[in-house]
Amino acid sequence: MLSGASLFTGVASGLWPIIGAFVAGLAIVVVLRRDREHRSFTRKYWAATRGYTYTASAPSLTGFWPGLPFTSGGSALNVITGTTAGGHPFCSFRYQVAASRRTFRYDVTAIRMPAVLPALCLTREPETATLGDGGQPVRLESESFNDQCHLVAVNVPFAYRALPPRLVTWLLGPGRALRSWRFDGAYLLTWQRGWPDHARLPGRLELLDELVRQVPP
């Protein structure tokens, strides 16, 4: 027969692995929380030094724009807002949505334009050349443009007027960095898959300013 001391020792030895796993799990939670807090502080500091504002999330943005890359059930995270050098209010954020047991992340930036424009979408990826309001494919005179870009517009005459030859040339040159963009009312949005790279945000804002500047009134 086991003595009381032996029984206690046996029970305690059986609990040690459980206690150890609990302590290890708690330590991981603490480390992850501190890492998240550090990254949040870093983003706030980065934004503040450039005159921007950082917000951890903005639920109001998830349903603000229809169409790609937005779908139901997504979240707008790590939101940075401010004004571009060209004087346009902007917001840039990580759009995240879970679907088919996978998590999709998009780096989204939107600037407010001085005027409302008909819906138009340009992308280098044919499967994303679509508009929430419909639209139809548009081909321009430049075959290089047609080979590299896919253009969809709800107002075809506007698409021809909005993309004159000089803008097409720019889109095939410096503007290539804007892989997917569209006009949505008074907003110009651009997006790409993956995590946001805030270090590239100032350059992207310059490109969006230039794109708005080159669109004929």
Side-chain angles (χ1 to χ4, degrees):
M1 179 179 297
L2 293 174
S3 65
S6 299
L7 180 61
F8 175 79
T9 302
V11 172
S13 63
L15 288 176
W16 279 122
I18 298 175
I19 295 173
F22 173 78
V23 171
L26 183 61
I28 291 174
V29 170
V30 171
V31 170
L32 291 176
R33 178 176 296 176
R34 288 181 177 177
D35 179 65
R36 183 168 61 250
E37 292 174 350
H38 174 72
R39 284 186 280 114
S40 178
F41 174 81
T42 301
R43 294 187 185 107
K44 287 181 180 179
Y45 178 79
W46 182 90
T49 57
R50 287 157 178 79
Y52 305 151
T53 301
Y54 171 81
T55 307
S57 64
S60 61
L61 291 176
T62 57
F64 193 80
W65 296 286
L68 293 174
F70 307 106
T71 59
S72 60
S75 301
L77 308 171
N78 307 142
V79 184
I80 294 176
T81 57
T83 304
T84 70
H88 302 104
F90 80 87
C91 65
S92 184
F93 56 94
R94 181 177 96 234
Y95 181 72
Q96 184 169 296
V97 62
S100 302
R101 299 183 179 180
R102 296 179 58 190
T103 299
F104 297 92
R105 298 176 181 87
Y106 297 89
D107 183 2
V108 181
T109 302
I111 71 172
R112 185 174 179 85
M113 301 182 293
V116 174
L117 298 179
L120 179 150
C121 175
L122 184 149
T123 177
R124 266 74 177 179
E125 302 172 1
E127 66 273 13
T128 62
T130 182
L131 290 168
D133 296 330
Q136 55 184 308
V138 179
R139 293 180 63 85
L140 303 182
E141 293 183 0
S142 171
E143 288 303 320
S144 295
F145 177 89
N146 295 330
D147 291 340
Q148 299 179 41
C149 305
H150 304 273
L151 180 64
V152 177
V154 296
N155 185 325
V156 175
F158 166 75
Y160 288 128
R161 189 177 75 254
L163 277 72
R166 59 178 172 78
L167 179 51
V168 169
T169 300
W170 182 83
L171 289 170
L172 296 177
R176 287 178 59 87
L178 300 175
R179 294 194 54 80
S180 299
W181 58 267
R182 61 186 172 94
F183 295 138
D184 192 314
Y187 293 90
L188 166 60
L189 295 91
T190 183
W191 69 94
Q192 60 185 17
R193 281 194 178 186
W195 291 83
D197 183 354
H198 296 316
R200 297 183 178 182
L201 179 58
R204 185 182 309 133
L205 294 176
E206 289 181 6
L207 292 174
L208 293 175
D209 272 343
E210 181 63 18
L211 177 55
V212 172
R213 189 188 71 81
Q214 291 209 38
V215 173

